[in-house]
Amino acid sequence: MPAFLEYLGHSTRISFTKLGRASYFLVQILAGIFSLLARPRLLLKQLYSVGVLSFLIITISGLFVGMVLSLQGYYTLSDFGAEESLGVMVAASLVRELGPVVSGLLFAGRAGSALTAEIGLMKATEQLSGMEMMAIDPIRRIITPRFVAGLISMPLLAALFSAVGIIGGQMVGCGLLGVDEGAFWSQMQSGIDFKDDIINGVIKSLVFGFVSSWIALFEGYDAIPTSEGVSRATTRTVVNSAFSILGLDFILTALMFGEH
Amino acid sequence: MDNHVTPPNSLVSVRNLSFSRGTTKIFDNISLDFERGKITAIMGPSGTGKTTLLKLIGGQLYPDQGTISVDGENVHQLRRTELYNLRKRLGMLFQSGALLTDMNVYDNVAFPLREHTHLSESMIRTLVLMKLQAVGLRGARNLMPNELSGGMARRIALARAIALDPMMILYDEPFTGQDPISMGILVHLIKSLNTTLGLTSIIVSHDVHDTSAIADYIYVLSGGKIIGQGTPDEIKQSESEWVQQFMTGAADGPVHFHYPAKDYVDDLLSSGKRY
Amino acid sequence: MQHTSTQDTLVGLFVASGIIGLFFLAMQVSNLSSFVSEDSYTITARFGNSGGLKIKSPVSAAGVKIGRVTAISFDQKSFESVVKMNINSKYNALPDDTTASIFTAGLLGEQYVNLDAGGSETPLKNNGKIEITQSAIILEKALGQFLFKSAEEKK
């Protein structure tokens, strides 16, 4: 029993110091944003590796998720004779939940893990400390551009995911299952509110982008600079990002949609 | 306490430095001086914290006690911007080269110039080609770091370290893992850069032969203490058994072949419980 | 330099498609298009019971959606439900003797306000009041009345 308590106390202390390091790291990242504005090329390069390279996986997944939603939704709704509501069902699930959450999880898996591995290896090969010795702040030069790129990419990716998903849902619903196209769109438009649904979805994806980029970069920067350390850090990035996204999604949903 | 008189020509002076990692004392109250325009070597077996000393001089680590001053400035009392300004005048050659893997050789050497100066691209081109010429790798400018051999990577890193015309270069184990030819090239480069550019060099190494060939002064460290110092000739003549063992590479001597352990016979006869 | 310019193009394409996606969500998927740059005016109506009417419930006339409910409050003096509605300025010729009733779309559908135009010549103004209203039909009440009636008839 005392051993267990000691273990508990020890891991609590470890988690708190890690949280402290992560917060300080975040402050340093944010402090670098202004100087980044003067060098848009750095940001552009990261938008490429964070955003463009995630484009394909996001759009293809979005398409299939939308198609499956439409298929599943149709069979449930047709039991109540409410096939016309297919559009609003597909759109609401995508825009409010699946768009931000699934694209956030895919982002963590595709871009987040790559970021952690990249930063971790840069640390292991002394590139970061080499930069420091060249009087170049690696956080400003390396970390902040990647963070901002994640922050910009995530809402765009989530919007793409939802848009492509809705088109996929429409293709299956109207093309394959014979739902009236007019009803599909008009029910959707009357059921989806711009502020409550679209804007809240964008806010969610911004939050997820913030958190998963932060986690990915911190795990890389904080990784033990060996191949095993980097591989563990990469795993932690995916696991911690997934937990944070799902947990935050619950909190945000409760705050945003709870009152209606 | 401070019984060392700082020589007037000292660029870096380390005073009463103590540093520990966890419970291990890496440096125990040591004082060293590195003279301007000279090549000073720090030698000692692996794991004596030679790299740590370079990181302390560069301000990447903080000492537990003692001071380090570079060109009259106390490294660990500088503010961040002042420290960065100081580092611009230092070059450091890492053991792995630490080249940025996402850029080619040319961009790697141009990197500090682009970050710290507002020179035009044509000026940068001239400077980069000059530095690459100095290390003999002007023809390799379009290669990526993963296409370079270890020795070439180190030479590129050297070109990058001298890009901003520093006053001092810190070499971290420059000879480790090199074939005889690249070793010879590096030895020659370090020596010639030092004389032609008027640099001050600090070499951390455990390679006895090549280091003593170019060093003007040698410190031998072990167990957190300085156990020998002097010109290469003085070191070779040293009466310290320890220094002799290190210089000649004998397997046993004051430094034991065995890692500290309990008595061999006892260990073999004990129950085999894991400790 | 070839490499950087293709990278730029791809980043440009990515950002553009993301923005198009957002725009698509805003205009095609949500109700934003039915509000954008359209002025509206406010009218109020008092109901004895506004039933399941909610903020943002539609307001329609002759089956065409012309506005939305913006506020529902309870008047402490008259014990009535005060419903505020925003009507699109395009439809500015509703007469001041218009009747407002609360209907249900289908058996299980949501409730909405239906406006029936009267015969008056003067149109409703901004902040105008609708005097004639018909409350929401409460299913339990209606059923209760029906059962009570048929029981009386049997006597």
Side-chain angles (χ1 to χ4, degrees), chain B residues 1-4 13-21 24-33 48 53 56 63-68 219-227 229:
Chain B
M1 184 75 203
D2 188 354
N3 49 5
H4 293 263
S13 52
V14 177
R15 286 289 165 270
N16 306 323
L17 176 74
S18 295
F19 183 81
S20 46
R21 209 166 242 157
T24 331
K25 273 210 160 175
I26 294 181
F27 300 119
D28 188 6
N29 195 19
I30 60 169
S31 297
L32 310 101
D33 280 291
T48 40
L53 183 62
L56 283 162
D64 299 337
Q65 256 165 36
T67 57
I68 295 175
Y219 286 99
V220 184
L221 293 185
S222 177
K225 299 260 188 210
I226 298 169
I227 53 155
Q229 65 182 80

Side-chain angles (χ1 to χ4, degrees), chain B residues 147-210:
Chain B
E147 298 168 308
L148 301 170
S149 71
M152 280 161 85
R154 245 171 255 187
R155 279 151 74 192
I156 300 295
L158 187 53
R160 184 178 67 177
I162 57 172
L164 288 172
D165 292 322
M167 58 178 180
M168 173 167 80
I169 300 193
L170 313 171
Y171 297 91
D172 186 6
E173 301 280 7
F175 308 124
T176 313
Q178 298 295 313
D179 62 76
I181 299 176
S182 17
M183 184 105 99
I185 294 172
L186 279 165
V187 169
H188 165 75
L189 266 178
I190 293 173
K191 185 77 189 167
S192 64
L193 283 177
N194 212 69
T195 43
T196 51
L197 302 179
L199 292 170
T200 305
S201 302
I202 301 179
I203 300 178
V204 150
S205 177
H206 53 242
D207 185 277
V208 174
H209 176 73
D210 289 283

Side-chain angles (χ1 to χ4, degrees), chain A residues 41 44 188-189 192-194, chain C residues 8 17 26 28-29 31 56:
Chain A
R41 178 142 296 280
L44 212 74
M188 188 189 299
Q189 285 178 8
I192 304 292
D193 187 70
F194 178 71
Chain C
D8 288 1
S17 57
Q28 185 69 24
V29 175
N31 52 7
K56 289 195 182 123

Side-chain angles (χ1 to χ4, degrees), chain B residues 113-114 116-124 127:
Chain B
L113 294 166
R114 288 186 179 140
H116 289 311
T117 67
H118 297 286
L119 297 175
S120 65
E121 272 304 309
S122 66
M123 276 288 275
I124 287 179
L127 282 170

Side-chain angles (χ1 to χ4, degrees), chain A residues 114-161:
Chain A
L115 284 177
T116 306
E118 186 189 12
I119 304 294
L121 285 175
M122 286 181 98
K123 187 180 181 189
T125 54
E126 296 180 311
Q127 292 182 51
L128 295 183
S129 97
M131 232 177 239
E132 258 179 51
M133 285 304 296
M134 282 188 273
I136 296 160
D137 183 352
I139 291 192
R140 283 195 186 181
R141 181 63 177 66
I142 299 291
I143 309 284
T144 303
R146 284 164 174 74
F147 180 78
V148 175
L151 208 57
I152 295 176
S153 299
M154 198 40 226
L156 297 179
L157 289 171
L160 270 170
F161 186 94

Side-chain angles (χ1 to χ4, degrees), chain A residues 24 28 39 42 45-46 118 121-142 146, chain B residues 51 54-55 58 60 80 84-85 87-88 90 92 94-103 111-112 115-116 160 164 170 172:
Chain A
Y24 181 62
Q28 285 178 296
R39 303 184 63 183
L42 287 180
K45 202 173 164 203
Q46 295 314 318
E118 186 189 12
L121 285 175
M122 286 181 98
K123 187 180 181 189
T125 54
E126 296 180 311
Q127 292 182 51
L128 295 183
S129 97
M131 232 177 239
E132 258 179 51
M133 285 304 296
M134 282 188 273
I136 296 160
D137 183 352
I139 291 192
R140 283 195 186 181
R141 181 63 177 66
I142 299 291
R146 284 164 174 74
Chain B
T51 307
L54 293 188
K55 291 197 165 177
Q60 283 189 309
R80 195 184 143 85
Y84 271 50
N85 280 331
R87 282 183 187 165
K88 285 180 201 168
L90 305 181
M92 178 151 172
F94 283 84
Q95 204 172 339
S96 60
L99 294 177
L100 301 171
T101 41
D102 59 341
M103 324 177 166
F111 184 72
E115 292 288 326
H116 289 311
R160 184 178 67 177
L164 288 172
L170 313 171
D172 186 6

Side-chain angles (χ1 to χ4, degrees), chain C residues 13-121:
Chain C
L13 266 175
F14 164 65
V15 173
S17 57
I19 289 172
I20 290 171
L22 271 176
F23 193 72
F24 168 80
L25 291 181
M27 302 313 286
Q28 185 69 24
V29 175
S30 81
N31 52 7
L32 185 68
S33 54
S34 52
F35 284 120
V36 173
S37 75
E38 281 177 336
D39 294 330
S40 59
Y41 62 98
T42 311
I43 55 174
T44 40
R46 291 166 168 271
F47 294 95
N49 189 330
S50 61
L53 203 66
K54 282 182 290 216
I55 291 173
K56 289 195 182 123
S57 292
V59 178
S60 57
V64 179
K65 201 182 123 193
I66 58 167
R68 271 177 186 278
V69 172
T70 53
I72 302 173
S73 55
F74 179 60
D75 182 353
Q76 289 263 38
K77 282 177 192 144
S78 61
F79 306 114
E80 279 176 323
S81 163
V82 182
V83 177
K84 267 195 179 170
M85 292 166 269
N86 266 6
I87 309 293
N88 194 319
S89 305
K90 265 198 296 196
Y91 310 108
N92 57 358
L94 285 173
D96 63 357
D97 60 348
T98 293
T99 320
S101 7
I102 296 175
F103 286 165
T104 308
L107 193 58
L108 299 170
E110 59 172 350
Q111 293 194 301
Y112 66 97
V113 179
N114 184 63
L115 300 181
D116 271 321
S120 164
E121 296 285 313

Side-chain angles (χ1 to χ4, degrees), chain A residues 34 95 100:
Chain A
F34 277 111
V95 170

